[in-house]
Amino acid sequence: MGATSVIRGKLLELFDEDSSRGKATVIVEAKRAPAAVPRTAQAGVRTSPRQLLPAGGGALRSGSVETSVPADAMGAVEAALKDLGVGRAHRNELSGSFVVELTRDQLESLSRNPAVQAIRANTLRRKLS
């Protein structure tokens, strides 16, 4: 089946349990740089949660959105979704993800895309409309 390590949880079992299930609503996360923990966050050292936030946190308050997800990764995932023929995709810039409905074949194909970091089941199960 290929590299399914990006598929989180028991997402494929949703299709196995109900063979009539055509699509499942999933969250597709674009690849982003790993978080760097500050050196002060060692054992026995108190660290404020503010120190763990990425630099430039004031950019969100000033109106310019700065995210830790590169725009090219989001664009690559969006292009991959279009290539697979996915109709509607809800784009979330702050989390660097898309909420889409996928078939099992689309899910497996998307899991092999290098721009995808993780694919999870949408536990809210809301409609995209």
Side-chain angles (χ1 to χ4, degrees):
M1 175 172 24
T4 59
S5 62
V6 299
I7 298 175
R8 304 286 192 247
K10 299 179 180 182
L11 187 55
L12 290 176
E13 290 179 12
L14 289 175
F15 293 100
D16 294 338
E17 291 171 0
D18 184 8
S19 60
S20 65
R21 179 185 281 276
K23 292 185 177 187
T25 304
V26 298
I27 299 170
V28 180
E29 297 177 11
K31 190 159 288 224
R32 57 188 170 271
V37 178
R39 290 186 0 195
T40 59
Q42 299 168 2
V45 177
R46 290 185 170 252
T47 304
S48 167
R50 287 191 188 274
Q51 292 173 322
L52 297 176
L53 292 174
L60 292 175
R61 286 187 293 275
S62 68
S64 64
V65 176
E66 180 181 323
T67 64
S68 61
V69 181
D72 56 341
M74 287 289 285
V77 172
E78 188 171 31
L81 291 171
K82 285 182 183 178
D83 289 344
L84 289 173
V86 176
R88 293 180 63 105
H90 177 75
R91 183 179 178 125
N92 187 337
E93 293 291 337
L94 290 177
S95 68
S97 64
F98 293 87
V99 178
V100 294
E101 287 185 345
L102 298 176
T103 64
R104 184 182 177 118
D105 291 338
Q106 290 171 328
L107 176 71
E108 290 175 352
S109 176
L110 194 61
S111 72
R112 293 186 289 272
N113 190 309
V116 174
Q117 178 168 316
I119 303 174
R120 309 174 188 282
N122 184 6
T123 57
L124 294 178
R125 302 195 197 311
R126 291 189 298 182
K127 286 189 138 187
L128 294 174
S129 54

